[in-house]
Amino acid sequence: MARSSPSDGRSSWRGDVPPLQIYAIRFWQREVLEKAKPRQLEIVKLEAIASYERCRTLDEYPFELQNQQDFLGALEVLKMWYTQHKKVSLWIMLFLKEAIPEPRTQAESTPRYTSSRRTTTQRQLAKLSDILQGEAAAGNLMPQVADYWICSNSQCKNKNKTCWVNKRHPDARDNVADHYPVSGEIFRRWSREIADGLSTVEQPSQQIIVLLVNWRERERKKSTQAQQAPKPAEDISSTMNQLLQTLIATQTQHLAQNLYRGLHNLSTSSSNPPPYAPLVPSSPVHSNSDPSEILTQFFDWLICRSSEQQKESLEYIKSRLLDEDWNLDTLHNERKGGAMTMAIWESYSFKLGTLANIRCKISEFKWQKPQSRGSSNSS
């Protein structure tokens, strides 16, 4: 019986167009196996990864090397990038499998109360240093980095995993704010830089530190956005009900005020009839109202006449315009001084079609004739 544990080896050959042949890679492959003795390693596959400077992991091209034709395919990709003035590189990955014999049972010599799991753990810890040295000889330095920077802070979300700690001096207190989790992509980059002499296990380069800081900030933003996700449907429906109740109360108040003014005008016109019937706006706009109040009345009027999909967008536009002290006149007439322009509207990330629709509705809001009131005056 034997069990397998994966490991990998990497070459340090880099350049714009690698002057290599498949036989040279095979020679390097045999050399890796020789250096790893007495460990019994078996080749799983040989892979070439074409890349370039600041290349994303998704944009890298892997090729499984079985013959010279596969190697030439990787070189063609490098030549294509080279013509685009990119600093290209070719990584040779050797994947190995190690056969580890199962330990013999020691039921007779071991007391019954001794846990076999504890014995296996002790055996693995005793062999840990040999395993790390073997991985380093094969070109894989990631286990050494993981072992050196294992996180043991109970307040860190990445506990028992790998965190680089930015300590200002060796005796500094272990603060969670100084912990930077190491992602898989940064792991591979760090291992490559150690092989190239740009970083060490104890101290990463400035490029690795920048990657660690940026990765942690991105994870924090994702966590914040997840916490600020939209409310459940029940909360949204409750909020909509409150808005509708407020809107109904406001419109009822405006309707009562218009009815009172209409009755007052009717009684005045019966005692002293005017030579003509004046046009009365159908909207609740009052000349003595504050500009911000008029703008609020307009949007409340418009939201009532809009679809469910448009209401949320109009509520946001209304709130933004009120915060910026816009009024109905500057919103309606673009030729006025300090008026709303298409460039300003786009700077708010609003759609231009919405602006055109709002301007048309402003005219309707101001000048539409009330049919019901006109019929009552004619009688």
Side-chain angles (χ1 to χ4, degrees):
M1 294 293 292
R3 60 181 181 183
S4 301
S5 62
S7 61
D8 68 294
R10 300 185 180 188
S11 74
S12 59
W13 297 321
R14 299 185 67 179
D16 293 335
V17 181
L20 300 177
Q21 298 292 333
I22 192 66
Y23 73 87
I25 299 176
R26 295 296 184 190
F27 177 80
W28 166 76
Q29 173 182 301
R30 291 193 296 271
E31 186 179 12
V32 171
L33 294 177
E34 288 294 329
K35 288 182 179 180
K37 286 183 178 180
R39 298 170 63 189
Q40 298 179 2
L41 301 179
E42 179 183 349
I43 299 174
V44 178
K45 67 176 179 177
L46 182 65
E47 188 177 66
I49 298 180
S51 182
Y52 55 87
E53 190 176 20
R54 298 181 181 178
C55 177
R56 299 183 305 173
T57 305
L58 296 175
D59 296 332
E60 294 179 344
Y61 275 78
F63 294 87
E64 186 172 355
L65 299 180
Q66 296 181 352
N67 50 47
Q68 182 67 20
Q69 192 64 31
D70 298 331
F71 184 70
L72 294 177
L75 294 182
E76 288 298 325
V77 174
L78 294 179
K79 290 178 183 178
M80 177 187 68
W81 285 337
Y82 184 74
T83 56
Q84 299 173 1
H85 306 286
K86 295 179 179 179
K87 187 176 180 181
V88 299
S89 60
L90 182 67
W91 292 94
I92 306 299
M93 307 285 292
L94 179 60
F95 294 86
L96 305 172
K97 181 174 67 175
E98 181 178 10
I100 303 177
E102 287 287 346
R104 296 180 180 178
T105 59
Q106 300 178 354
E108 297 179 357
S109 59
T110 305
R112 294 184 178 180
Y113 59 83
T114 303
S115 172
S116 60
R117 180 177 180 182
R118 177 179 176 83
T119 305
T120 304
T121 303
Q122 291 176 344
R123 186 181 300 107
Q124 291 176 348
L125 291 175
K127 293 183 178 181
L128 180 60
S129 60
D130 296 335
I131 294 174
L132 293 177
Q133 291 177 2
E135 294 291 342
N140 180 20
L141 300 169
M142 289 188 289
Q144 290 190 12
V145 176
D147 181 65
Y148 186 86
W149 292 105
I150 187 169
C151 180
S152 58
N153 193 318
S154 60
Q155 298 180 354
C156 182
K157 296 180 179 180
N158 205 40
K159 184 184 177 183
N160 296 329
K161 298 180 182 179
T162 307
C163 280
W164 175 71
V165 183
N166 184 21
K167 287 189 176 182
R168 292 163 179 78
H169 52 85
D171 298 332
R173 183 181 177 183
D174 188 10
N175 193 346
V176 179
D178 298 329
H179 280 227
Y180 294 85
V182 184
S183 65
E185 182 179 355
I186 299 177
F187 248 132
R188 294 190 292 271
R189 180 73 175 270
W190 195 342
S191 178
R192 294 175 186 175
E193 289 198 359
I194 294 174
D196 294 342
L198 301 176
S199 295
T200 64
V201 174
E202 296 80 8
Q203 181 59 47
S205 66
Q206 290 297 324
Q207 293 181 349
I208 297 295
I209 293 175
V210 171
L211 292 175
L212 289 167
V213 173
N214 292 339
W215 191 87
R216 190 178 75 170
E217 291 303 317
R218 285 197 300 269
E219 291 301 312
R220 284 184 176 178
K221 289 182 180 178
K222 290 179 183 179
S223 177
T224 303
Q225 291 175 358
Q227 293 176 0
Q228 296 177 352
K231 297 180 179 179
E234 295 181 359
D235 294 343
I236 295 176
S237 62
S238 176
T239 304
M240 290 298 296
N241 289 334
Q242 294 178 1
L243 291 175
L244 287 175
Q245 292 176 4
T246 305
L247 185 60
I248 291 172
T250 304
Q251 293 297 328
T252 304
Q253 183 180 2
H254 292 325
L255 182 61
Q257 292 175 356
N258 290 338
L259 181 60
Y260 174 77
R261 288 188 177 88
L263 293 174
H264 178 73
N265 293 336
L266 183 61
S267 61
T268 305
S269 60
S270 61
S271 60
N272 189 14
Y276 60 90
L279 294 176
V280 181
S282 64
S283 61
V285 179
H286 314 306
S287 59
N288 58 347
S289 297
D290 184 74
S292 61
E293 184 181 349
I294 296 177
L295 186 64
T296 302
Q297 294 172 3
F298 165 70
F299 272 99
D300 292 342
W301 173 83
L302 180 59
I303 289 171
C304 280
R305 290 159 176 76
S306 302
S307 64
E308 292 295 331
Q309 296 178 350
Q310 295 173 339
K311 286 182 179 180
E312 184 177 355
S313 175
L314 291 174
E315 285 285 356
Y316 175 71
I317 293 174
K318 164 189 167 183
S319 175
R320 187 68 183 273
L321 294 178
L322 289 172
D323 291 342
E324 299 289 339
D325 293 332
W326 291 97
N327 58 62
L328 208 61
D329 292 333
T330 55
L331 188 63
H332 181 236
N333 192 353
E334 187 173 356
R335 290 173 291 184
K336 250 188 169 183
M340 173 67 72
T341 63
M342 290 188 292
I344 297 175
W345 188 265
E346 285 185 316
S347 69
Y348 291 141
S349 301
F350 299 154
K351 296 181 180 180
L352 290 177
T354 307
L355 176 61
N357 182 46
I358 287 175
R359 284 177 170 167
C360 293
K361 295 297 182 181
I362 289 175
S363 301
E364 181 182 350
F365 177 73
K366 284 185 174 182
W367 306 113
Q368 182 182 2
K369 295 180 180 180
Q371 297 179 357
S372 60
R373 184 173 298 175
S375 61
S376 63
N377 289 336
S378 61
S379 62

